[in-house]
Amino acid sequence: MGKKNKQFVEKVTAMEDDFAQWYTDVVKQADLVDYGLVRGTMIIKPYGYAIWENIRNELDKMIKETGHSNVAFPIFIPESLLQKEKDHVEGFAPEVAWVTHGGDEELAERIAVRPTSEALFCDYYSKNIHSYRDLPMLYNQWANVVRWEKTTRPFLRSSEFHWQEGHTAHATDEDASIETERMLGVYADLVENYLAIPVLKGRKTDKEKFAGANYTLTIESLMHDGRALQSGTSHHFGSGFAEAFDITYLDENGESQYVHQTSWGLSTRIMGGLIMVHGDNRGLVVPPRIAPTQVMIVPIAQHKEGVLDKAYDLRDQLKEVARVDIDASDKSPGWKFNEHEMKGVPIRVEIGPKDIENEQVVIVRRDTGEKEFVALKDLQARIGALLADIQQNLFDKALAHRNEKINIATTLEEFKQTLDEKTGFIKAMWCGDQACEEKIKEDTQATSRCIPFEQEKISDTCVCCGKEAKELVYWGKAY
């Protein structure tokens, strides 16, 4: 085995020793990305993009099933347009990349490289919505955006990333509210049922909501190291953007009304969540429902007569029940095992001369490492059952891990002590005062993750100030 091959199968840094380095090792060795030439950018390589494509395709299907149409808006936004909604532009100003020249000529007005597209959609809506018959207007676009981040990490926080952003306009505030909740439900469905990541659903505090929104709904996930990840958000704008951009329609009585809007997005950031929730010290673990290859066939002693032919026959048979491939390269079986474990392929099927003689194969699960012998006549059924079992096992394991790391605090001292001694979410009551929220962040570096829809009363008083509590909040350190 050559030096290059040996390098690939080196063990990743143990996550218990250095979680950040473990993450970087997995991203690189699983062949997901390479670093771009500009700081904070990344090249998503074929395998990484194949996973993102499967996530994207499932989400795109869900979005279309809820009545939305895909569109494509420009990447450039004139500064004057971006300035129209004061809170919005202030929220994004530190992260905006500006174009100041076209060729050698200085532009009369700076142009923003899209950090998000609210301004563009609002300008479009102001020119194309006239009557209540034009509503609702339900749009989504798949795009890349630029946000000039100070610290970057592949997938989790990059200067340029891929995402979808939904933008909708409705006749009433109630209709916009229904849309905001519905699309958060779509995200929760995708993340839990396809990526096997359990989520908390709730509302962001006013401090943490999207700039310019009335309120923001969120799904929050917990990573293996006990840090939280905001995994998808849905924003209710009310009529704020409509008033700033003069988006009105004539209602059934012929009276002019402002539209009510929403916006919602999920990005390649969820790829980071996938890595950090399911990965282990052997590399990536990909849930079957979004795995590019669900079954990898590895021929053993493939130089011997009949082995490769049988392996290709198996591939053709299994195509009926799974996304299957065969590794017929001249690398050693051990190298192949390591490579496909590193990439998180859910099932490995091994077949060699003795297996052919016994009319069986060896099956190895990536999630548990369990090995079993399966008769060739039972293989299709067993593969289908195993894929479903692996999908469920990954979710159950992640759910148990999250639940184990949910702690309770009723005083600020208890809050601090819990953070010092444990990782994960902290459930604590809050009075609703932003000053308390800011003090908790200043003292502990923990932020409010969400006000859960399912409320509990674990204390009568605020964890920070001791005054009467209004609601339960999940707190935590986050990516």
Side-chain angles (χ1 to χ4, degrees), residues 59-70 136-140 167-168 170 179 182-183 186 264:
L59 180 55
D60 191 64
K61 193 188 308 177
M62 294 177 179
I63 289 170
K64 286 173 180 171
E65 285 173 352
T66 49
H68 301 79
S69 299
N70 281 344
M137 202 166 274
L138 309 176
Y139 286 162
N140 173 67
H167 297 272
T168 68
H170 305 264
E179 169 78 359
R182 175 172 64 168
M183 298 318 295
V186 167
W264 27 273

Side-chain angles (χ1 to χ4, degrees), residues 24 79 115 195 300 383 446 475:
T24 301
E79 183 172 15
L195 279 76
I300 308 298
I383 289 293
W475 311 79

Side-chain angles (χ1 to χ4, degrees), residues 39-41 88 91-92 94-97 113-118 144-152 157-161 163 165 210 230 233 235 265 267 269:
R39 186 192 67 82
T41 61
H88 181 64
F92 279 99
E95 300 174 350
V96 175
V113 182
R114 172 176 57 209
T116 182
S117 300
E118 276 72 20
N144 57 341
V145 296
V146 172
R147 296 181 186 175
W148 217 251
E149 298 283 359
K150 292 179 181 177
T151 57
T152 61
R157 200 166 289 281
S158 53
S159 298
E160 179 188 21
F161 58 87
W163 75 345
E165 48 179 312
F210 182 80
Q230 179 179 289
T233 48
H235 316 289
S267 77
R269 191 167 216 242

Side-chain angles (χ1 to χ4, degrees), residues 66-320:
T66 49
H68 301 79
S69 299
N70 281 344
V71 294
F73 275 65
I75 196 170
F76 299 122
I77 307 173
E79 183 172 15
S80 57
L81 188 66
L82 198 60
Q83 293 282 356
K84 278 197 171 183
E85 214 289 334
K86 182 175 176 290
D87 291 338
H88 181 64
V89 72
E90 283 182 0
F92 279 99
E95 300 174 350
V96 175
W98 296 99
V99 176
T100 59
H101 287 74
D104 294 331
E105 185 178 337
E106 185 172 355
L107 301 178
E109 179 183 16
R110 290 196 303 176
I111 295 173
V113 182
R114 172 176 57 209
T116 182
S117 300
E118 276 72 20
L120 291 171
F121 276 86
C122 285
D123 182 65
Y124 175 88
Y125 287 153
S126 70
K127 297 169 182 173
N128 289 276
I129 294 175
H130 308 292
S131 161
Y132 69 92
R133 295 185 180 88
D134 298 323
L135 299 171
M137 202 166 274
L138 309 176
Y139 286 162
N140 173 67
Q141 78 165 347
W142 291 93
N144 57 341
V145 296
V146 172
R147 296 181 186 175
W148 217 251
E149 298 283 359
K150 292 179 181 177
T151 57
T152 61
R153 188 180 297 183
F155 294 125
L156 290 176
R157 200 166 289 281
S158 53
S159 298
E160 179 188 21
F161 58 87
H162 297 259
W163 75 345
Q164 59 72 217
E165 48 179 312
H167 297 272
T168 68
H170 305 264
T172 68
D173 186 83
E174 182 183 4
D175 289 345
S177 296
I178 292 170
E179 169 78 359
T180 307
E181 292 183 25
R182 175 172 64 168
M183 298 318 295
L184 189 80
V186 167
Y187 290 153
D189 181 8
L190 174 83
V191 174
E192 291 200 328
N193 294 316
Y194 287 84
L195 279 76
I197 299 174
V199 301
L200 294 173
K201 293 190 286 186
R203 178 171 55 86
K204 287 287 189 184
T205 64
D206 285 347
K207 182 179 184 298
E208 297 291 333
K209 71 181 181 181
F210 182 80
N214 278 6
Y215 62 82
T216 290
L217 304 184
T218 183
I219 52 172
E220 300 285 326
S221 308
L222 193 70
M223 305 299 100
H224 191 83
D225 66 342
R227 284 182 175 263
L229 185 76
Q230 179 179 289
S231 300
T233 48
S234 186
H235 316 289
H236 184 290
F237 290 157
S239 60
F241 277 86
E243 291 169 24
F245 287 83
D246 194 27
I247 312 170
T248 61
Y249 71 97
L250 294 179
D251 65 17
E252 295 181 38
N253 299 318
E255 295 181 4
S256 181
Q257 305 285 353
Y258 286 114
V259 301
H260 298 259
Q261 292 172 260
T262 78
S263 176
W264 27 273
L266 182 140
S267 77
T268 41
R269 191 167 216 242
I270 199 65
M271 292 277 288
L274 175 73
I275 296 164
M276 292 192 294
V277 169
H278 300 306
D280 60 24
N281 287 333
R282 290 182 292 154
L284 192 62
V285 179
V286 186
R289 295 189 79 177
I290 51 101
T293 301
Q294 296 171 315
V295 179
M296 180 61 70
I297 299 171
V298 178
I300 308 298
Q302 66 185 46
H303 61 284
K304 293 191 176 181
E305 185 178 354
V307 173
L308 271 181
D309 289 340
K310 189 62 179 177
Y312 280 110
D313 285 345
L314 278 182
R315 184 190 65 176
D316 293 341
Q317 292 172 27
L318 291 177
K319 278 182 177 177
E320 296 177 14

Side-chain angles (χ1 to χ4, degrees), residues 374-447:
V374 177
L376 290 174
K377 63 181 178 64
D378 301 326
L379 186 57
Q380 274 195 351
R382 186 60 183 142
I383 289 293
L386 264 183
L387 289 172
D389 189 62
I390 292 169
Q391 182 78 30
Q392 188 62 48
N393 180 55
L394 289 175
F395 179 83
D396 291 345
K397 186 178 176 183
L399 181 62
H401 176 264
R402 187 200 71 184
N403 290 345
E404 182 186 320
K405 289 186 173 293
I406 295 177
N407 306 291
I408 293 174
T410 57
T411 67
L412 190 55
E413 285 308 310
E414 190 179 4
F415 193 109
K416 292 176 183 177
Q417 184 179 350
T418 301
L419 270 184
D420 286 341
E421 298 174 355
K422 301 176 183 178
T423 59
F425 288 120
I426 295 180
K427 291 196 296 190
M429 302 303 291
W430 178 51
C431 62
D433 191 334
Q434 189 168 308
C436 286
E437 185 179 4
E438 289 172 350
K439 179 172 175 53
I440 288 172
K441 182 177 181 180
E442 183 182 337
D443 288 359
T444 69
Q445 284 77 59
T447 55

